[in-house]
Amino acid sequence: MPVNTAALKTFAPAMRRQLLEAVGRKLDLLLHSQTPDTLSTYAKQIAELREQEAENREQLLERVAYTWFNRLCALRYLDARGWHPFGCKVLMPAGEAETQPELLKLMCSGSLPAELKTHTDEARLHGLLDGHIATAMANADPQGEVYRQLVLSSCHYYHQLLPNLFEGLDDSSELLLPDDLLTVNSVADGFRKAITDEDCAEVEILGWLYQFYISEKKDQVMARKSVVPTDEIPAVTQLFTPHWIVRYLVENSLGRLWLQNRPASKLREQMPYYIDGEAETDFLKISKPEEIKVLDPACGSGHMLTYAFDLLVQIYEEEGYAANEIPALILKHNLHGLDICPRAAQLAELALVFKAREQSRRFFQPDQLVRPPIIELQDVRFGNDELNDYIQALDLGELFDQRLLKLLHQFEEAKTFGSLIQPCMDERGLGYVLQVIESKDLGGQLFLRETHSKALRVLEQAEALTQRYHVVVANPPYMGSKYLNTKIKAYLNAKYDRYDKDLFSAFIVRTFQLALSSGYRAMITPFNWMFLSSFEDLRAFIIDRSFITTLVQLEINAFEPAMVTVCLFVLHNSPSESPTGSYIRLSDFRGSENQPRKTLEAISNPDCGWLFRASADNFKKIPGSPIAYWLSPKLVESFVTGQVLSSLTEPKSGLSTTDNALFLRFWHEVVFHRIGFGLNSVIETELSDYFWYPFNKGGDFRKWWGNNEYVVNWHLNGAAIKDRTKGAAGGRIVSPEYYFKTGVAWSGISSSKPSMRIMEGSIFGSGGKALFSDTRLLQYLGFLNSDVAIHLLQALSPTLNFEAGHIGSLPIIDVDGDGSDDKSIKEMISIARSDWDNFETSWDFTGLPLLRPVMKGQALKPSWRNWEAQSTSAIRRMQDLETENNRLFIAAYGLDGELQPEVPEDQITLARAEVRKDMAAFLSYATGCMMGRYSLDKPGLILANAGDTLENYETEVGKSTDGLTFQPDSDGIIPVLDG
């Protein structure tokens, strides 16, 4: 049964708030209202708490609340599974008919489990229950105080099994466990009510709880829209990976490795997300399961590793290992995890221990328990003379050469850089150093123990980061450069130059170093690296050094926790001689619930239409090497045979004013005669009296002509803008020599397909791109508005961000024709221009089309019918012309049968006749005429009777504020005007 994530999504952040408040109250009580008994018994811990509160109270509360959340999650899970070695539930009642926690009930009946007796002052607890001993707080509930001690006893018991999660017996977090754990609405009561036993059927629940617990903190950090401090990086970057994605990644990496070594294995039958690929001869040879090493370098709550555990169990079973031996072997030999967040590392270890317990009832026995190598990467710093004293005392001067000394300082910012740290020593050298240092006996030199522990910590962390692994699987952190703090930026620039646009891109490179040659790397990341020019170096790195065996591109926002566009992919750490991989494109399938279903459909039916086979060799043929796996061989070949558009034209970005609110206006917001129309160059503006000039800002999806809405203050050749942009961030006067020239314009960012228009006598902006050519401009316009160009642009920029470089990279192939195509394009421009000028939003508007002499009937109703017929005819004609334009370029590029020329009507960017909209426009126009806004000597308004006023007619919604109203008939037409 799947986890009820909707309930957990509400519970976890609410519990975080409740714990923070409860822990804060307990802290204040300890620091300001201590009893003499408390002061004498816990003096050391209280002193620590006082110091920590003074340093950062918020961080102290966050840390302790988080600790108790994880511990209570673990206890609730163990309750649900019935796995407590001492045989009773800690948080939950024994059965549905009970209300009291089972452990408390046993204590009250004198049946405290023997395993807990050594961690409990049983006599004192009985004294509290009998009333012989007073509660620590006056008038407190004795049972509540007893139950709190029983929960602590359970935690003490688990310290020997899970010391990372259940830390030492006298740590300060123990004091801050809230007092009330028994009553309704207490902290513990929340775990009883919100989490069901069914939710705990899978260890996956721990990851979801972790995800939702940090969600509010993440939102708070991201809302600041500023750089992220080191201590907040986990909250921003930790994302729980949905189970189907984990299965896809692990099955196509670890599973593929095993099938290569055991082709007859039945493991294939247990891996529904496995995609068969080409046979590979260059693979890692595995003689026994213990040899396999799997690493998650940003393991979070360990979801990747827990599913790898499941597959490894099946691998061991196939090889004939005893069932009870398998869990310990897997945790000892196969699975490794690293993370910068201590709470995440705790949960990852806990999840793997729970997976092992699920396989073996004996696993919790002390002689059976194996702790998995999950390492929390910690900052390690040495004082000025600390290392010198340590080296001298151990007499290890020769061992501590420059490389080792450098290594010991490489983890000073481990919490910031995490697994991106590249130790300066190799695995063999580290092994030798570790062996020598561990063999040294510190004897009675107590002052060296802390230094010794720190040195061993560095060596352990470095060893994990120098090993090479058969499989590296990860959902690495995503964080763009605007959020990176100065330390991370400097580190990426120094160690991952050219791959520093985002944390995940550096991780992709790092996993290459962590994996063995011919090993596998499986990752989920944003998919912008596949296409954006800023990731071109990363694409080259991936293509040149590895082979994309399989990739799934998800629909936008399908990965709900991240709310970014992501892809899942598996890399073979060796370029293939015939690198043809499998790619699944889920862009057309909305909804996260559809993504796994459509992936499975593609795997079971390769002819489904959204599974593609593509070669990395083809990616290299396309400018910038985008991972355009869906392009047909003919489309790819056009990049080879055609000329790039930038070699034939001048694609340009234009003016960035730095302050559009100051320098831009809609044309109807300014004095009309102060606008300079019909200019050809900026030179003409130097001495001109005009203040405003047409400005192309991009705009909505519209082809051929239109979106002429703005004007810009370019008085005296842009003097004010030039003064403002000097040294201003983002302010650029780009390509002024092309201002006012005739060109093809488009919107840099689109919500759908690109749309191209002729631009005349206008300055163009950075958002409204343009290209210019002295020859064949109309043919280029026709090509850019064709389906061929749209398909090619989807490869160059599927993110709907159409920069000048994208357009300039399109391949141009000469079109055979008799010149009629230019006539067709001119006609399409003419139709679109007339359509644009039909409305008041155009500065060339002269009057409503339905009132023009050629359109006017005996009354308004037949006039509107004439307008309806004309607009429908224009749409049909434009549809025919655009279809023919498509057919021309489809033939030129040899794509007959691959692309269809027909243009859907909804892609025709002309106005449709609509009664409600057209009557509103008529009313607006009539009002303008009555107010003298329009000249009545133009084709315009004629009233039925010259003496009538508009206020004699009422509408369905009553009179308007100015009294200018009409009464529509049953068709919605206003029947008050005649010819």
Side-chain angles (χ1 to χ4, degrees), residues 12 18 144 284 325 397 468 506 567 624 627 662 665 678 691 737-738 777 779 797 860 928:
Q18 186 176 354
L284 290 170
E325 297 176 358
R468 304 286 293 277
C567 62
I627 312 301
L662 178 64
R665 295 289 184 275
F691 195 89
E737 67 273 21
Y738 289 92
L777 188 65
Q779 188 181 111
S797 183
L860 185 57

Side-chain angles (χ1 to χ4, degrees), residues 207-412:
W208 283 118
L209 285 167
Y210 175 67
Q211 169 77 32
F212 297 139
Y213 184 89
I214 64 175
S215 60
E216 287 187 341
K217 180 72 171 179
K218 176 182 179 180
D219 292 342
Q220 293 167 8
V221 176
M222 296 304 293
R224 296 201 300 260
K225 296 183 179 180
S226 59
V227 297
V228 178
T230 292
D231 63 294
E232 293 177 340
I233 290 174
V236 175
T237 59
Q238 295 278 6
L239 295 169
F240 185 70
T241 313
H243 191 61
W244 81 269
I245 292 176
V246 172
R247 294 198 65 167
Y248 164 84
L249 294 174
V250 176
E251 288 173 8
N252 286 286
S253 54
L254 174 60
R256 185 183 298 275
L257 176 65
W258 186 250
L259 291 182
Q260 287 171 336
N261 282 273
R262 302 290 192 276
S265 170
K266 294 187 180 300
L267 188 64
R268 175 68 183 86
E269 300 169 8
Q270 306 301 318
M271 299 193 302
Y273 291 95
Y274 180 76
I275 301 177
D276 288 309
E278 296 180 350
E280 298 171 41
T281 57
D282 182 20
F283 60 86
L284 290 170
K285 305 302 187 288
I286 304 295
S287 61
K288 57 181 181 179
E290 292 97 316
E291 295 175 3
I292 301 173
K293 287 185 178 181
V294 179
L295 170 72
D296 186 340
C299 67
S301 58
H303 199 184
M304 302 284 189
L305 297 175
T306 57
Y307 185 63
F309 181 97
D310 291 341
L311 278 193
L312 285 163
V313 167
Q314 297 179 64
I315 289 171
Y316 275 93
E317 288 175 346
E318 276 194 349
E319 296 291 285
Y321 285 74
N324 281 340
E325 297 176 358
I326 292 174
L329 289 172
I330 292 174
L331 299 193
K332 182 177 180 180
H333 297 289
N334 301 123
L335 299 178
H336 306 261
L338 301 167
D339 208 278
I340 62 173
C341 175
R343 308 307 160 202
Q346 288 175 356
L347 285 182
E349 179 179 344
L350 184 67
L352 286 174
V353 167
F354 284 169
K355 293 298 289 188
R357 171 60 182 82
E358 194 171 42
Q359 290 294 317
S360 172
R361 293 172 57 89
R362 298 168 51 198
F363 186 77
F364 276 177
Q365 296 178 10
D367 61 330
Q368 294 289 315
L369 185 73
V370 174
R371 291 182 58 199
I374 305 297
I375 296 177
E376 173 210 343
L377 294 171
Q378 299 179 7
D379 294 343
V380 181
R381 296 183 176 90
F382 297 93
N384 291 335
D385 298 320
E386 184 178 1
L387 276 176
N388 291 335
D389 295 341
Y390 177 67
I391 295 168
Q392 185 175 359
L394 295 185
D395 193 21
L396 292 175
E398 294 183 2
L399 182 68
F400 282 78
D401 57 14
Q402 289 303 311
R403 283 192 311 155
L404 181 53
L405 290 173
K406 179 181 178 182
L407 177 78
L408 291 171
H409 292 289
Q410 278 194 283
F411 289 86
E412 293 177 343

